[in-house]
Each structure stands twice: as structure tokens, then as C-alpha cells.
Amino acid sequence: MSDRHASDWDRDAALIAARILLDIKAVNFRPEEPYTFTSGWKSPVYIDCRKIIYFPRARTKICDLAVEKIGRHVGYETFDVVAGGETAGIPFAAWIAERMLTPMVYVRKKPKGFGRNALIEGDVPEGQRTLLVEDLTTDGQSKIRFCQALRDAGAIVNHTFVVFYYGVFPGSFEQLEAMEIGLHHLCTWWDVLEVCRAHPYFSDAALAEVRRFLDDPVTWSKAHGGIGSAEEARAKEEA
């Protein structure tokens, strides 16, 4: 069992999910022309989990693994409602809610209307144990905003699930832990690299540069014109 995974099942699920993302070309390596995230981080890698929605077999397997993971780590009767974050989290929340036999709502990025339900569509899950679902997270900032919006509306939110977690930028787990929110995910970039070792998806040069990024993402980002601290990311989000 890898130290990065809680169990052999978690490792197997992570590698299956990573292989699916590679097969549908949701994984992008571009060391020579880094991506810039809204938080200001620079990265040689980018993942487009929205591509999953186009592939029925891929999305079925991903969502089956998601529900199994949630059940194993949190419990099968833990949630009353599943909430999707606008926009990419909405389809995943719908598929997961269907499997878990729970109601579903979604959370807007910006208010529409007035009152506690200005950010919530579907119904206000007041007093209900709510799981926030999104496609991925880089540094956790959007999860914090969505969870706070749900709490402001009266929901009980202590867990969030994403298909993919970057697992490299500082501050994400710490901020969520400070809010007493557990982050659950299927796979990370380390799992993608592990799959790439057995299958030639990318060149050795590209993989080597990605490893350098993963070993020290803050220095890599700053050296390529991006931000260089979690404090800068929070300041950019608040601006």
C-alpha cells in the first residue's frame, strides 16, 4: 500500500481514475507554456475533468468509484443532500446523488435573487447533512466559498468530494481543516505519473519537468511568473 493512500482499495481506485483521465485525454502536460490558474499559480499540468461528461463508460466508472469511496470513508447513510458547485460540479453531483438516492441542489458562484437561497438552486438544505461535490480542486478556494454559502443557508457541511485533487499547492487542506471540512478525492497528479510510468502517454522530458514541478510547486510557479505563496493566492481570491 502506498503511503499516499489510506488502503489498497484507495490506491487501486486512484490508478483506475487516473488511467481513465489519461485515456479520454483530460490530462494536459505543457511545461514549455505553463498554464495560469485563476488563483495565480503557474503549472505545467492541467486537467479537464469536464471531458468526463462526454464519455458514458468513463463517467459511470468514475461515479461508481466516487460513491464507493464516500461510503468507505464517510459512511453510506451520512448525507441527506448532495450539492454541486457551479458549473463543473453540477453533473457530477447529479450522478452521485442519483446513486446515493439523495436530493440534489447546486450552489451558484454569484447570488441570484435575495435572502439565504440567493446562492442555492433546488431547495435550501437547512439543517441537512450536505456533501459538496465538484470536479476538481487546485488550492481549495472555491470549495471554501461554496461550503460557506451552504452553511450560511443553514446546511450542515463537513465534507466535500472531488474527482481530482492537485495535491501540490500549499494551504488547501489546512484551510478546509480549519473550517472542519474533510476533502475526499479519487486521484492526484502523483497517481497520473504512476500510470504514465507503465504507459507512454507523454515524453520522458515532459514527465521529468512535471516531476520537478510536483517536488516543489511553489518555487516552480514563482520561477515561471506565477505566485509563490498561499497568502498570495488568498489575496488574489479576495481582490
Side-chain angles (χ1 to χ4, degrees):
M1 182 179 69
S2 169
D3 290 340
R4 291 185 292 104
H5 299 291
S7 69
D8 289 334
W9 182 91
D10 289 280
R11 180 180 183 274
D12 291 343
L15 296 180
I16 290 169
R19 179 69 186 270
I20 289 171
L21 292 169
L22 285 159
D23 284 346
I24 65 173
K25 294 181 172 55
V27 176
N28 300 277
F29 285 8
R30 201 172 70 184
E32 71 286 351
E33 190 181 347
Y35 299 94
T36 304
F37 299 132
T38 54
S39 56
W41 295 110
K42 287 281 189 178
S43 170
V45 289
Y46 172 74
I47 188 113
D48 185 3
C49 285
R50 291 166 294 187
K51 290 195 73 172
I52 297 169
I53 68 178
Y54 182 80
F55 297 91
R57 290 183 293 274
R59 73 184 187 223
T60 295
K61 185 62 176 179
I62 289 286
C63 291
D64 287 347
L65 290 172
V67 171
E68 179 68 13
K69 178 137 191 172
I70 292 163
R72 284 172 175 264
H73 286 267
V74 189
Y76 289 98
E77 294 294 337
T78 303
F79 299 108
D80 305 307
V81 177
V82 172
E86 184 186 20
T87 304
I90 294 174
F92 294 99
W95 293 319
I96 288 172
E98 185 73 13
R99 285 165 169 79
M100 293 175 65
L101 300 177
T102 66
M104 180 220 160
V105 300
Y106 75 83
V107 193
R108 289 184 174 276
K109 294 177 181 177
K110 296 181 179 180
K112 180 181 181 181
F114 303 93
R116 287 188 308 159
N117 64 336
L119 287 167
I120 313 296
E121 295 290 352
D123 202 352
V124 180
E126 184 173 3
Q128 295 182 298
R129 300 166 300 173
T130 304
L131 172 69
L132 173 68
V133 171
E134 281 215 90
D135 60 334
L136 60 84
T137 189
T138 52
D139 59 3
Q141 294 302 314
S142 66
K143 313 301 166 291
I144 291 168
R145 292 196 303 275
F146 285 138
C147 286
Q148 192 59 57
L150 286 162
R151 286 179 173 181
D152 289 345
I156 300 167
V157 187
N158 295 111
H159 298 275
T160 181
F161 173 83
V162 295
V163 174
F164 194 90
Y165 172 50
Y166 268 64
V168 291
F169 295 121
S172 53
F173 265 121
E174 292 79 6
Q175 290 183 74
L176 289 166
E177 283 179 353
M179 293 179 67
E180 298 184 345
I181 296 168
L183 174 63
H184 310 277
H185 60 276
L186 281 183
C187 62
T188 70
W189 283 115
W190 296 108
D191 302 307
V192 169
L193 282 185
E194 186 169 344
V195 173
C196 285
R197 279 198 290 268
H199 305 277
Y201 288 98
F202 298 97
S203 69
D204 290 342
L207 291 173
E209 188 62 28
V210 169
R211 288 191 190 96
R212 281 191 284 273
F213 163 73
L214 294 177
D215 285 337
D216 193 350
V218 173
T219 299
W220 199 99
S221 173
K222 192 171 183 178
H224 291 80
I227 62 172
S229 70
E231 290 73 22
E232 287 181 80
R234 284 194 293 272
K236 194 172 181 65
E237 286 285 340
E238 293 167 359

